[in-house]
Amino acid sequence: MFDLSDNAYNRVLARDEPKFKLWRSAGLLLTYRCNAACEFCYYHCSPEKGGLMPVETCLAAWRSLKNLAGDTARIHLTGGEPFLYWDHLVDILAEGTRQKLGPVDLVETNGFWATSESVVEERLDALLILGVQRLKISADPFHQEYVDIKPVHFLACMALEMFDPDNVLVRWEKYLVKPVPTKGLSPTQRDEAYVNSARDYPFRFTGRAAGRLANLLASKPAEAFADANCLGDFLGAKGVHIDPYGNVFSGTCSGIVLGNVNDKPLEEIWRQFDPRAVGLIGTLCQKGPYGLLDKAESQGYRRLDVYADKCHLCTHIRQFLLENRVEKGIIGPSDCYR
């Protein structure tokens, strides 16, 4: 297990200054492919996307996280929709068990596949045998545009019988009990349902969420975020997400690449991270997304009249920079942006 002083940034700080925290959790995005294309998806997943994280990449990241955080390390498997690749998911869990990497904390799904009792029982039983501690089920108006509520409800009921009830999470349970069938709504009604959901359960406007949904809720000019830097977000992130290609994102800041586990072990990416470095991440940590505007506008970026929050501003600028091939290697992959 690493100590805070092992990080390059932390080593030069005074005792009372906020430190860069150890990463204790890692969400492994097995794929960008999903049977849904939700308007609030942080990672812009859809049926047209691809990518599949190799088993060894998963295991290497898993081992690295244990090196970083010891017994406090928490791995969760997500996507995209990991159950589109059920056999691959099982291979990862089985190999992790064989290598004694410890239990997987969480597996996420939208439940589209829970179409029969035999399938659900077989798969949940396999997860339990392979050491998965918790199951997280997505249930909200965004998913309900693509996923029928019946299999989702059926999966939740069976999971409550087979898992410890405290280990079955539904995001968000309100919409499991009282679904909002957005698939059958008019565009105006659907937008209203989206806005109501976003107000009930606030989230970041990154990925696809920085598109139509953010525009519906935008109300502040870019100047409103002039003093909103991102240093605390990077320093305080307790974990990362790693995409199918090995790209490492801080927390839910999709599309900002801190490093790639295929090039460098996760613990080394953590050890070398320094928010004072030049470039996009350094600017975000010192000045926030507003600090990106001058450079972007000098290259043709046209700011919006209003933004939903600083993440909307950041993602909108990064979308432009990606399309103009600026900050290559840090802004990407394209899967997160379109």
Side-chain angles (χ1 to χ4, degrees):
M1 182 171 172
F2 280 52
D3 185 80
L4 291 180
S5 61
D6 292 321
N7 169 260
Y9 174 71
N10 290 341
R11 280 199 296 272
V12 299
L13 297 178
R15 184 185 297 269
D16 60 345
E17 290 184 279
K19 305 298 191 296
F20 178 45
K21 288 186 169 50
L22 277 171
W23 293 329
R24 298 183 184 276
S25 72
L28 307 183
L29 281 74
L30 301 191
T31 180
Y32 282 109
R33 185 179 171 222
C34 186
N35 57 303
C38 299
E39 286 291 347
F40 81 145
C41 183
Y42 291 160
Y43 298 99
H44 228 291
C45 300
S46 75
E48 290 73 39
K49 294 291 178 65
L52 185 61
M53 185 180 286
V55 172
E56 184 47 46
T57 300
C58 291
L59 298 175
W62 194 342
R63 285 191 294 268
S64 286
L65 190 71
K66 287 181 68 69
N67 289 340
L68 268 174
D71 292 339
T72 66
R74 296 290 180 268
I75 288 287
H76 63 276
L77 304 179
T78 183
E81 174 49 58
F83 279 74
L84 289 170
Y85 299 98
W86 169 249
D87 291 340
H88 190 71
L89 175 61
V90 168
D91 288 344
I92 292 168
L93 294 170
E95 190 60 22
T97 299
R98 190 185 71 80
Q99 295 190 22
K100 296 183 169 59
L101 295 179
V104 163
D105 177 53
L106 183 74
V107 173
E108 297 187 56
T109 182
N110 63 37
F112 81 97
W113 52 270
T115 53
S116 73
E117 182 175 355
S118 60
V119 168
V120 174
E121 184 174 13
E122 176 186 353
R123 291 188 172 186
L124 294 186
D125 191 50
L127 295 181
L128 286 165
I129 290 171
L130 292 168
V132 173
Q133 297 183 317
R134 298 189 294 166
L135 181 70
K136 187 174 183 179
I137 305 168
S138 299
D140 52 68
F142 304 99
H143 281 91
Q144 285 162 12
E145 184 176 350
Y146 300 93
V147 182
D148 187 82
I149 194 61
K150 290 182 180 178
V152 181
H153 193 273
F154 182 56
L155 173 60
C157 290
M158 288 200 66
L160 287 169
E161 293 178 3
M162 297 179 67
F163 280 73
D164 183 321
D166 290 338
N167 292 337
V168 179
L169 312 176
V170 178
R171 186 185 187 271
W172 299 294
E173 193 167 1
K174 168 183 175 178
Y175 297 111
L176 181 67
V177 176
K178 192 175 181 180
V180 178
T182 42
K183 185 176 182 179
L185 298 180
S186 69
T188 300
Q189 291 171 321
R190 189 161 55 243
D191 286 349
E192 183 180 356
Y194 288 163
V195 169
N196 289 337
S197 299
R199 287 173 176 163
D200 286 345
Y201 301 97
F203 46 80
R204 291 186 180 187
F205 294 99
T206 61
R208 191 180 289 112
R212 179 178 179 81
L213 186 58
N215 292 331
L216 287 171
L217 292 159
S219 63
K220 297 178 180 180
E223 288 78 11
F225 310 107
D227 297 321
N229 72 49
C230 302
L231 180 61
D233 299 294
F234 280 97
L235 295 185
K238 296 178 181 179
V240 296
H241 282 83
I242 304 172
D243 83 350
Y245 314 120
N247 296 309
V248 179
F249 309 130
S250 174
T252 53
C253 289
S254 63
I256 303 174
V257 180
L258 302 188
N260 190 296
V261 296
N262 294 317
D263 301 327
K264 187 181 299 181
L266 184 65
E267 59 266 48
E268 288 305 310
I269 295 172
W270 178 87
R271 190 201 299 267
Q272 295 173 20
F273 178 76
D274 189 338
R276 298 164 303 184
V278 298
L280 181 134
I281 294 174
T283 300
L284 289 176
C285 288
Q286 295 167 33
K287 302 178 181 179
Y290 190 79
L292 302 175
L293 269 173
D294 283 347
K295 180 177 181 179
E297 289 182 325
S298 71
Q299 298 181 13
Y301 173 74
R302 297 183 65 179
R303 71 174 72 185
L304 301 176
D305 291 335
V306 288
Y307 297 87
D309 65 3
K310 72 172 183 177
C311 295
H312 181 201
L313 171 62
C314 183
T315 306
H316 196 259
I317 293 173
R318 286 188 280 114
Q319 174 78 55
F320 169 83
L321 296 177
L322 176 84
E323 291 170 355
N324 288 273
R325 302 178 65 80
V326 179
E327 297 280 1
K328 291 186 294 182
I330 295 177
I331 298 177
S334 60
D335 302 68
C336 287
Y337 291 89
R338 55 178 180 253

